[in-house]
């Protein structure tokens, strides 16, 4: 119900992320090591509801697909000098396979960001041999009403 509006308190977004991670840890057990930090941030600011979800879901979806060994996911939320930052990194599977990279999650998230912030946000998605990383930054005060 709290996500039914366009924004939600960051404290609720953090609570949702913690619950989602707990669920995925139950699902994947010892196959995954998850680090989630959200220390020393103003959790009373408003952010777009569930805006972090596509990035975090992709960490689990792409970081563990066909991965037989230990996988890692690192998620860091910060809010400093008016800028909200989500940095998420996950294991890139060692098996050479075709992973569906054209889903609608990130595409829809970009569209939402564009509608809410115009060009006043930054999203970078990086890939190297061992990991995927996404970094999302925006100023919650620049949201359009």
């Amino acid at each position: 119900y709290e996500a039914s509006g366009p924004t939600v308190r960051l404290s609720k977004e953090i609570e949702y992320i913690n619950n989602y991670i707990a669920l995925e840890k139950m699902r994947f057990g010892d196959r995954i090591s998850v680090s989630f930090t959200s220390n020393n941030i103003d959790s009373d600011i408003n952010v777009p509801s569930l805006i972090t979800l596509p990035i975090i879901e992709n960490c689990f979806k792409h970081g563990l697909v066909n991965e037989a060994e230990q996988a890692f996911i690192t998620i860091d939320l910060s809010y400093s000098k008016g800028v909200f930052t989500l940095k998420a990194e996950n294991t890139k599977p060692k098996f050479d396979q075709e992973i569906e990279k054209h889903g609608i999650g990130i595409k829809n998230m970009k569209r939402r960001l564009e509608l809410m912030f115009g060009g006043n946000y930054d999203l970078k998605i990086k890939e190297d041999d061992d990991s995927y990383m996404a970094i999302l930054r925006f100023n919650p005060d620049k949201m359009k009403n």
Side-chain angles (χ1 to χ4, degrees):
Y1 294 109
E2 290 145 352
S4 62
T7 64
V8 67
R9 291 265 186 230
L10 182 53
S11 58
K12 288 295 180 185
E13 189 82 358
I14 290 169
E15 183 180 327
Y16 179 80
I17 293 168
N18 277 317
N19 290 338
Y20 185 84
I21 290 170
L23 179 67
E24 292 291 0
K25 280 182 171 181
M26 287 173 36
R27 180 175 166 209
F28 291 107
D30 293 338
R31 290 181 47 209
I32 187 167
S33 170
V34 180
S35 170
F36 174 48
T37 58
S38 61
N39 300 328
N40 301 321
I41 62 174
D42 180 0
S43 60
D44 288 331
I45 64 167
N46 285 326
V47 296
S49 58
L50 301 176
I51 199 66
T52 61
L53 184 61
I55 292 173
I56 293 170
E57 282 181 332
N58 279 353
C59 286
F60 288 92
K61 177 180 175 186
H62 296 297
L64 291 165
V65 67
N66 294 331
E67 183 62 50
E69 297 179 20
Q70 179 78 19
F72 76 87
I73 295 174
T74 304
I75 302 165
D76 181 45
L77 291 183
S78 63
Y79 180 73
S80 177
K81 299 180 183 176
V83 177
F84 171 86
T85 303
L86 164 64
K87 180 180 175 184
E89 184 176 15
N90 62 275
T91 306
K92 183 176 179 182
K94 292 172 182 51
F95 300 107
D96 189 16
Q97 68 215 355
E98 193 60 33
I99 298 174
E100 179 60 45
K101 294 183 182 179
H102 305 290
I104 62 170
I106 298 294
K107 183 178 178 180
N108 284 344
M109 183 187 73
K110 286 180 183 178
R111 181 70 180 134
R112 278 186 67 206
L113 288 164
E114 198 60 41
L115 290 170
M116 296 184 94
F117 293 99
N120 294 316
Y121 73 92
D122 184 44
L123 175 63
K124 290 184 173 48
I125 299 175
K126 302 174 183 181
E127 176 180 350
D128 65 25
D129 291 341
D130 300 319
S131 68
Y132 296 105
M133 181 185 294
I135 302 171
L136 171 63
R137 290 186 178 97
F138 59 82
N139 181 335
D141 293 335
K142 303 239 179 188
M143 272 190 281
K144 298 177 182 179
N145 293 332

